[in-house]
Structure formats: C-alpha cells, structure tokens
Amino acid sequence: EKLIQPGANINATDADFGDTALMRATKNGHKKVIPLLLDAHANIRITNRLGDTALEMAIRAQHEDILRLILFHIER
C-alpha cells in the first residue's frame, strides 16, 4: 500500500525474471496483497521472461484463492 499510494509503477518488472509485484505476490501466496494490486490496475496480461502471467503462476502453484481473485477481476 505504501508504494501504491505515492504512484509507484505497479507494473514494474524485476531484473531477474521480469516478474511484476502481482506475479511475486501470486507466487508467494500473498492473497491479501492481490486485491490491492488489482485495484491499483496491475496488468494481469504482462508476461515474465519465461512467458508466464500471474494467472498461470496461480494455476501452477495451486493457489486456488488467488486464482479466484484474479479470475473475478478479469470478469469485472
């Protein structure tokens, strides 16, 4: 929240894998962070260097709660 509020680039990617904050939160199962990022307009279509999106990461990691959050966001 502290980074989102002052206008940080919500879709910035890291130097290692090209992951966004949404991807990292998804991989690590931080389900409280996901809605904050989605509400701040995190781009769910960005792919990292491996070609994965946050949605694909949620599926692979079997984070069903996060998968539902992302799918709900897509359907809005």
Side-chain angles (χ1 to χ4, degrees):
E1 283 182 279
K2 290 179 183 178
L3 289 175
I4 293 170
Q5 291 173 356
N9 180 358
I10 198 77
N11 294 307
T13 57
D14 68 23
D16 297 323
F17 298 101
D19 287 348
T20 63
L22 180 61
M23 291 174 183
R24 286 291 177 106
T26 297
K27 278 187 199 179
N28 295 311
H30 297 298
K31 59 185 169 185
K32 291 183 180 181
V33 177
I34 303 297
L36 298 173
L37 294 169
L38 292 172
D39 288 343
H41 306 288
N43 186 336
I44 59 174
R45 292 177 179 26
I46 293 176
T47 58
N48 66 7
R49 291 194 179 128
L50 300 174
D52 295 327
T53 64
L55 181 64
E56 292 165 328
M57 292 176 177
I59 292 168
R60 187 175 303 112
Q62 298 180 355
H63 292 305
E64 293 180 28
D65 292 344
I66 292 173
L67 179 60
R68 280 191 215 98
L69 288 170
I70 295 171
L71 290 173
F72 176 76
H73 180 76
I74 291 170
E75 293 174 0
R76 287 200 273 170

